[in-house]
Amino acid sequence: MTTTTLPEPAVDVRDLRKAYKDHEVLQGVEFAVAPGSIFGLLGSNGAGKTTTVRILSTLLTADSGAARVNGFDVAQDPGRVRASISLTGQFAAVDEVLTGRENLILVARLRHLTNSGAIADVLLERFSLTDAGGRRASTYSGGMRRRLDIAMSLIGDPEVIFLDEPTTGLDPQSRLDVWDSITELARGGTTILLTTQYLDEVEQLADRIAILHEGRIIADGTLAELKDLLPPAEVEYVEKQPSLEEIFLSITREEPRTRATAEDSS
């Protein structure tokens, strides 16, 4: 009889606690992220998502509990944790004075990588930014800045990427572009921990979802497992109306001539 050994979690969090004065932000948070998966940490503002990510990325020290990233203890071996991760915050951390390509080259040089220009060109192509690579980042749309930010986070081939609310403030099309980028990263074997307050985001992206509420994980499982927590709703057959997102994307994706014809006929 053979036994199957499960791989060690890429991120393993046990009884994590953090308080600011009298306010206990994290109250025994626990979860595990499988290698090469997208893990969605879902919660409203103030639930403790960013605090959790800051602890895991060694920017903040927990009061108690333990956490390991890529097998390294975040408290005992922070240097090796930082060497194997990348963090993208809620707002794109690009230098607006530099071009997109220059931003990528700068990060590659800071990571002491050779052939920084070639690295930049590969990432510009991967994230559909080649045509904009020579423009200053200040001219980029929100979605383009976010894609550049994620591209910058990939320099050095980190095994784990923390994305802290990566689509905050983006328009619907830009959100979809970022979703595509995240999905592509996971297909390449990168482990992604995604924090968000958007239900549709984790529903579309995450292999596993943990719901963080008032500093506690109150549910953890696949989408199907979470759906099983509630009894099935009574089915009513009604005509399905398009959502506002579907309407917006349908209209904005029309060819200019089609839109002009529609306007002329009105």
Side-chain angles (χ1 to χ4, degrees), residues 32 48 62 91 122 172 208:
F91 304 99
V122 168
R208 192 171 186 88

Side-chain angles (χ1 to χ4, degrees), residues 69-92:
V69 178
N70 285 328
F72 306 123
D73 188 287
V74 299
Q76 302 298 323
D77 209 349
R80 298 183 76 176
V81 171
R82 287 193 292 268
S84 61
I85 68 168
S86 188
L87 169 63
T88 298
Q90 296 180 24
F91 304 99

Side-chain angles (χ1 to χ4, degrees), residues 2-266:
T2 59
T3 58
T4 302
T5 302
L6 296 177
E8 182 179 2
V11 179
D12 195 14
V13 178
R14 302 294 175 190
D15 196 27
L16 209 60
R17 297 177 181 272
K18 181 66 179 179
Y20 298 106
K21 295 185 178 180
D22 295 332
H23 178 50
E24 195 170 8
V25 180
L26 301 181
Q27 304 179 46
V29 169
E30 295 194 358
F31 61 83
V33 182
S37 68
I38 300 177
F39 185 89
L41 189 58
L42 176 66
S44 58
N45 286 334
K49 303 187 301 298
T50 297
T51 297
T52 300
V53 168
R54 288 176 62 83
I55 291 173
L56 294 177
S57 56
T58 75
L59 297 177
L60 193 64
T61 302
D63 295 336
S64 63
R68 298 179 69 83
V69 178
N70 285 328
F72 306 123
D73 188 287
V74 299
Q76 302 298 323
D77 209 349
R80 298 183 76 176
V81 171
R82 287 193 292 268
S84 61
I85 68 168
S86 188
L87 169 63
T88 298
Q90 296 180 24
F91 304 99
V94 302
D95 189 323
E96 296 188 350
V97 175
L98 301 179
T99 67
R101 188 172 188 272
E102 288 169 343
N103 269 281
L104 293 166
I105 290 174
L106 174 62
V107 174
R109 288 177 176 172
L110 289 173
R111 288 184 175 268
H112 307 290
L113 301 177
T114 59
N115 208 4
S116 57
I119 292 172
D121 291 337
V122 168
L123 288 170
L124 287 171
E125 182 177 0
R126 181 175 180 180
F127 286 87
S128 303
L129 292 170
T130 299
D131 291 343
R135 287 167 37 199
R136 286 190 178 186
S138 60
T139 68
Y140 285 16
S141 67
M144 292 170 68
R145 292 187 194 189
R146 178 54 75 187
R147 296 206 309 275
L148 177 61
D149 198 25
I150 295 175
M152 290 163 60
S153 72
L154 287 182
I155 294 175
D157 297 321
E159 297 180 63
V160 176
I161 295 180
F162 298 113
L163 299 177
D164 190 16
E165 304 205 30
T167 63
T168 297
L170 297 185
D171 61 77
Q173 183 58 59
S174 295
R175 289 185 72 208
L176 293 179
D177 291 341
V178 172
W179 288 2
D180 288 342
S181 298
I182 293 171
T183 301
E184 188 65 27
L185 291 179
R187 286 178 185 156
T190 304
T191 303
I192 297 171
L193 191 154
L194 166 74
T195 77
T196 184
Q197 57 182 310
Y198 300 128
L199 302 177
D200 58 337
E201 194 149 88
V202 290
E203 190 168 8
Q204 290 292 327
L205 297 175
D207 300 303
R208 192 171 186 88
I209 303 163
I211 299 176
L212 182 61
H213 180 66
E214 295 181 349
R216 299 178 185 273
I217 299 293
I218 60 173
D220 184 349
T222 65
L223 179 59
E225 289 169 344
L226 294 183
K227 286 182 176 180
D228 286 341
L229 296 176
L230 295 178
E234 182 179 347
V235 177
E236 296 182 5
Y237 294 93
V238 296
E239 181 180 355
K240 181 181 182 299
Q241 297 295 320
S243 68
L244 180 57
E245 181 178 54
E246 290 171 334
I247 294 170
F248 176 87
L249 293 174
S250 176
I251 293 174
T252 56
R253 284 175 175 172
E254 286 182 349
E255 294 297 327
R257 179 173 297 181
T258 302
R259 292 200 301 269
T261 302
E263 292 168 357
D264 293 341
S265 62
S266 62

